[in-house]
Amino acid sequence: MDKEKTGDDEKQQKDTSFDLNDYTIIKEGEAEILMHSKNQVFYNKTQVNNRDMSIAVLRTFISQRKLEHESMLDRRVKTGPKVPDESVSEMEPPADSVHYNGKFNDGYELLEEMSSDEPCSISGAPTRNLREKDREELKPARVLEALSASGLRALRYAREVEGIGQVVALDNDKVSVEACRRNIRFNGPVACSKLESHLADARVYMLTHPKEFDVVDLDPYGSPSLFLDSAVQSVADGGMLTCTATDLAVLCGGNGEVCYSKYGSYPLRGKYCHEMALRILLACIESHANRYKRYIVPVLSVQMDFYVRVFVRIYSSASAMKNTPLKLSYVYQCTGCDSFHLQPVGRTIAKDNSLRYHPGFGPAVPQECSDCGKKFNMGGPIWSAPIHDQEWVAAILADVKSMKEQYPAYDRICAVLTAISEELPDIPLFLSLHNISATLKCTSPSAIIFRSAVINAGYRISGTHVNPLGLKTDAPMHTIWDIMRCWVKNHPVKAQPSNQAGSMILAKEPVLQTNFARAVASFSKAQAKKVARFLPNPEKHWGPKLRAGRKITERIVKMLVGLGR
């Protein structure tokens, strides 16, 4: 390892001179980077939203990690020292620990890193006391940015997030590593002391550093599927994996067979496709984690701009891992109307004071849709458990508002977090009011009127951060169609062919007599206070930029001109 470090230092020393005239200085937050005029290293201005959101989540994670550590120490103080039992080894773990790969773990490693020349002793007071002392000290968080490119994200983590001890930036491109090291030196002593850059394959590096990093950040150009298996092994217990996927054409149903090969799930092309993309990514990460007796707990899942990004905590527990099938579902989407239904993969039965796991009951739907008589497409499996932790969302939003000047993309991330904070956390996917109205060929009711009708019927309803027109509700589809049937009676439509989905739905009489009187809860708090939740893009062609090394050709110029019209 020392030889590797020496080699890295020599390379750093060689790259000491460069002509500033060939570079543009880009400042974002407290970090500054030098970008070459020839686009040698990938930099995407659009990702400022992504980086700001990540910094906000990391700040909350650092605070939460500290609180959890203090809580653990308080529990131990209240419990008091255990009387040693001669029949049991002194290395016996506490009752709440988890056995994993031959080690005991309760959120922190029982065996701390020790020097190679120090003898490893299972018994003996001096070794035990030293170990207990080390465990009481919460070490600064270690962060791994697996795909660093220019190093801007790693630099911002090192300079802006208090409580981070070390940031390791990796890239398998020599030019990118040189640029990253140049930018580290350009940012001064703080960056140099905290940040190190290595030329390495991220997959190999993560596999050879198991459970060593408190935060692992994956932000590839495209799909993260190649890195997930090694990433879930590199995160420490209770640590965080942050993951971006920019291949939304694949995740949203453009290439279903490719999505299945990469993520193990089949997408559907409904209006909820972007939320489904988030849930497919979460299900994929969970699948990789389960192979190593680990599982995930999502704290925030975001669809912004041209990508999806998830923030999940990873834990080790063979028993908790058994609950995974309860968090996954298949989706049945009607080909004729907007109706969709979820089929849970697993279920549990309580018997003799124990919980038994069984396959989910099925089928969830008949061969033909009970509303319009059409067939179903089946997609998934997807993550159907909550994709956000609302306590985390509230804490992140409060932190962002208290440090407004430190977020270049404050308006955007504040709007997204506000929308997320008002989502129903336990409702997978959503309906599109405009699509429902289009199916019936009728005038669409306003969102306030529709929300009121659902609330008056005794159900919950909310918006979604994914789509301004999307509505999450626990009302069953037959209730939704009854509401629309009552709406159409007051707002008649032209006669349509009898074989169309809308005609078949309207041919049935509503069972529910809908009350369209405005409900108090039909306005969300953000709407009532006129807080922005959906903002327009700040400039034209706001999206992913060219890969490093590519030039803007005449064909690309024509394409951009066409998009601008």
Side-chain angles (χ1 to χ4, degrees), residues 82-88 90:
K82 292 184 179 179
V83 178
D85 187 350
E86 292 181 0
S87 63
V88 182
E90 291 184 14

Side-chain angles (χ1 to χ4, degrees), residues 307-364:
Y307 57 86
V308 292
R309 184 159 174 84
V310 297
F311 301 85
V312 302
R313 299 190 71 180
I314 296 183
Y315 299 91
S316 298
S317 173
S319 57
M321 187 190 69
K322 294 179 183 178
N323 291 318
T324 292
L326 310 178
K327 306 171 191 174
L328 303 176
S329 296
Y330 290 95
V331 183
Y332 291 92
Q333 173 67 60
C334 177
T335 59
C337 64
D338 237 28
S339 299
F340 66 85
H341 306 269
L342 270 66
Q343 167 69 65
V345 172
R347 60 189 171 90
T348 57
I349 296 177
K351 188 175 182 181
D352 299 330
N353 296 324
S354 65
L355 207 59
R356 299 191 179 183
Y357 295 83
H358 294 274
F361 282 127

